[in-house]
Amino acid sequence: MKKAIQITYNNSFEKKCRYAAQAGFQAISVNFNDMTDRSQAAWEVAPENILRILEQNGLSCVQTHLPYYDLRISAEITDDELEDAIFHSIRVAGAIGAAWNVYHPRSAVNAGFSATKTLEENVRRISGYLETAEKYGTGIALENLPVFKDIIPIMPFYPTNSGDLCELADSFGSKRIGICWDTGHANLMELNQAESVRQMGTRLKVTHIHNNFKFYDLHLTPDNGNIDWKGVMAALNEIGYSGPLTLETHCLYDDDLLLQAFAKYNFACLEYLERLQENK
């Protein structure tokens, strides 16, 4: 499997790519959600700029993270600026060779949570993204989301499990629709991740790898938390998963030495996960 790490496309993107390559990474995910400049001019130069940086560092982009709505905003509500950013991100992803774009599906909660309305709204909205993705030779990967215990009242965010993801993905019948399994979110939901991976099977295209202690979505390194990685890696092996192991861990300080050490440590964590798979 390719080892990748997610990097936000902002002013630190170039140096973080350099540090990732120095640590041993050959692939990254580009995070467009936290992109600070979403002007038309920035989108126009983004493909050329990202490709230049990737080429200089011997990196490829295996996936992106699309901009997403606050999870508390109901699926019936549309933000035109955010929608524009999503479509721009998909176009850039195609230009830089990213096979998948991770998307947060949304819950319909305007009149209380409705599973039927939620599925309908997601199919309607994602169909537009899918049309653009097909045009630019990329795909949409649907991500599992947690119920955040620190939000009161607790909201039934969707999709929270592999069954939800499979139902939504199967609604399209397109090879350009897949699943992104977020291990940290699944841990918050206390799911049996090995069983979930087996249920998703070949629908699973990309991952978000991080850990926690089943309470806050801390995006910790794989060794810092209580996920059963041996079970997860064995299940990935069983389904013949060949997509990337993509870290979605956070370093909150923009210090060069710390960022370099962070990249090296994260790479070592993925090497550990690979060893678990090899010693299945």
Side-chain angles (χ1 to χ4, degrees):
M1 299 181 194
K2 282 188 176 180
K3 295 183 286 292
I5 189 168
Q6 183 163 285
I7 301 176
T8 298
Y9 185 56
N10 58 17
N11 291 337
S12 298
F13 180 74
E14 186 163 3
K15 74 174 181 181
K16 288 180 178 179
C17 284
R18 184 169 66 253
Y19 297 156
Q22 290 171 354
F25 287 98
Q26 295 181 328
I28 65 164
S29 166
V30 179
N31 174 13
F32 288 120
N33 180 67
D34 298 318
M35 180 177 172
T36 50
D37 181 3
R38 292 182 179 173
S39 65
Q40 184 65 34
W43 287 117
E44 288 176 357
V45 301
E48 181 179 354
N49 190 43
I50 294 172
L51 285 172
R52 174 185 60 80
I53 294 169
L54 294 178
E55 183 177 353
Q56 286 177 350
N57 292 284
L59 295 169
S60 64
C61 178
V62 290
Q63 64 197 72
T64 76
H65 202 314
L66 296 176
Y68 54 84
Y69 286 77
D70 185 307
L71 297 178
R72 294 164 293 186
I73 297 176
S74 191
E76 300 94 334
I77 297 173
T78 297
D79 180 321
D80 290 338
E81 289 187 6
L82 183 53
E83 290 295 318
D84 187 57
I86 291 172
F87 283 105
H88 274 305
S89 298
I90 295 171
R91 296 184 191 105
V92 173
I96 64 176
W100 296 98
N101 303 271
V102 177
Y103 173 73
H104 285 188
R106 301 172 62 197
S107 300
V109 295
N110 268 355
F113 179 76
S114 166
T116 300
K117 183 66 172 175
T118 291
L119 183 61
E120 291 175 351
E121 284 294 322
N122 277 292
V123 170
R124 177 185 66 81
R125 193 175 296 274
I126 294 168
S127 293
Y129 306 150
L130 178 59
E131 183 178 352
T132 299
E134 290 174 336
K135 179 179 178 181
Y136 289 92
T138 185
I140 306 296
L142 311 169
E143 179 180 352
N144 57 304
L145 302 170
V147 173
F148 289 110
K149 299 180 177 69
D150 56 334
I151 293 179
I152 300 175
I154 291 176
M155 296 181 67
F157 298 147
Y158 171 93
T160 60
N161 56 68
S162 55
D164 288 344
L165 287 169
C166 290
E167 179 185 32
L168 181 55
D170 291 348
S171 299
F172 297 92
S174 170
K175 66 179 182 180
R176 296 289 185 182
I177 287 285
I179 290 175
C180 171
W181 188 246
D182 187 300
T183 59
H185 293 171
N187 199 46
L188 287 172
M189 297 303 296
E190 301 187 23
L191 301 177
N192 184 319
Q193 299 208 47
E195 289 184 1
S196 299
V197 167
R198 294 185 188 102
Q199 181 179 17
M200 291 181 289
T202 57
R203 302 177 187 87
L204 180 60
K205 304 300 182 183
V206 290
T207 57
H208 281 165
I209 302 293
H210 57 102
N211 209 342
N212 57 57
F213 291 94
K214 292 188 170 73
F215 193 68
Y216 290 114
D217 190 24
L218 296 172
H219 288 259
L220 303 175
T221 52
D223 63 316
N224 195 1
N226 48 29
I227 290 176
D228 173 19
W229 289 114
K230 188 174 182 179
V232 172
M233 299 309 295
L236 290 173
N237 189 66
E238 286 179 32
I239 68 169
Y241 177 74
S242 59
L245 291 177
T246 301
L247 289 157
E248 197 182 38
T249 51
H250 295 163
C251 181
L252 302 180
Y253 298 93
D254 191 21
D255 175 83
D256 288 355
L257 291 177
L258 184 59
L259 288 171
Q260 291 177 64
F262 181 76
K264 291 178 181 178
Y265 190 74
N266 274 267
F267 189 81
C269 285
L270 289 189
E271 289 185 314
Y272 165 71
L273 295 188
E274 282 190 325
R275 289 196 299 273
L276 286 182
Q277 185 185 33
E278 291 167 359
N279 295 331
K280 58 184 181 298

